[in-house]
Amino acid sequence: MGLLKQNHQNWMKKALDEARKAFEKKEIPVGAVIVHENEIIGRGYNQREKLEDPTAHAEILSITSAATHLNNWRLEDCSMYVTLEPCAMCAGAILNARIPKLYFGAYDKENGMCGSRDNLLDRNIMNHSVTYRGGLLEKESKDLLEQFFAKVREE
């Protein structure tokens, strides 16, 4: 396995750790990390139920965390790793934060806005572009989501 691929998988494993935190707190298990200069500077996991906030998605919380760390809303030299394909709100936030690279795990056929349902990142609607790749540790990401929803149905 190439070093670059291994690094991407290592960062995605950190995003999966965040997703597991959401799972434990009975939130939809999506996690995200933002990496800058080979260091995690932002972390987040879904907290919509806890915070009673429809915007408390993993991506949004990790962007806030990273921007606070850098004291700058422009995350131009960063990469985001998230366990589920971003929705419209999160894809827009990624564009607005100027994050140049996005890696995600599972595809979201119902709400994914990075190629599944639609693609906000390829529309050239802002002064910024994002390169992205889906399917990174897809099975692990998808399995966690399926386990969560199976558990919800049991309760």
Side-chain angles (χ1 to χ4, degrees), residues 47-126:
Q47 296 187 55
R48 290 189 309 173
E49 300 300 328
K50 177 185 176 192
L51 299 177
E52 296 182 346
D53 179 354
T55 69
H57 288 202
E59 298 94 327
I60 303 296
L61 297 173
S62 67
I63 287 170
T64 300
S65 175
T68 299
H69 179 86
L70 292 178
N71 293 314
N72 192 341
W73 64 268
R74 292 176 189 89
L75 304 179
E76 295 170 322
D77 297 320
C78 298
S79 298
M80 176 183 277
Y81 295 82
V82 62
T83 59
L84 183 64
E85 180 180 358
C87 68
M89 174 182 68
C90 294
I94 290 163
L95 284 164
N96 276 295
R98 309 293 195 264
I99 296 171
K101 296 178 184 170
L102 167 69
Y103 303 91
F104 64 88
Y107 288 86
D108 184 350
K109 293 184 187 336
E110 292 180 21
N111 299 304
M113 289 294 175
C114 303
S116 287
R117 183 170 183 101
D118 201 342
N119 195 331
L120 295 181
L121 301 184
D122 281 347
R123 289 215 179 151
N124 200 20
I125 55 176
M126 299 185 87

Side-chain angles (χ1 to χ4, degrees), residues 125-140:
I125 55 176
M126 299 185 87
N127 243 355
H128 175 70
S129 64
V130 178
T131 59
Y132 59 92
R133 187 175 113 210
L136 187 61
L137 297 186
E138 180 177 14
K139 181 179 180 345
E140 293 88 334

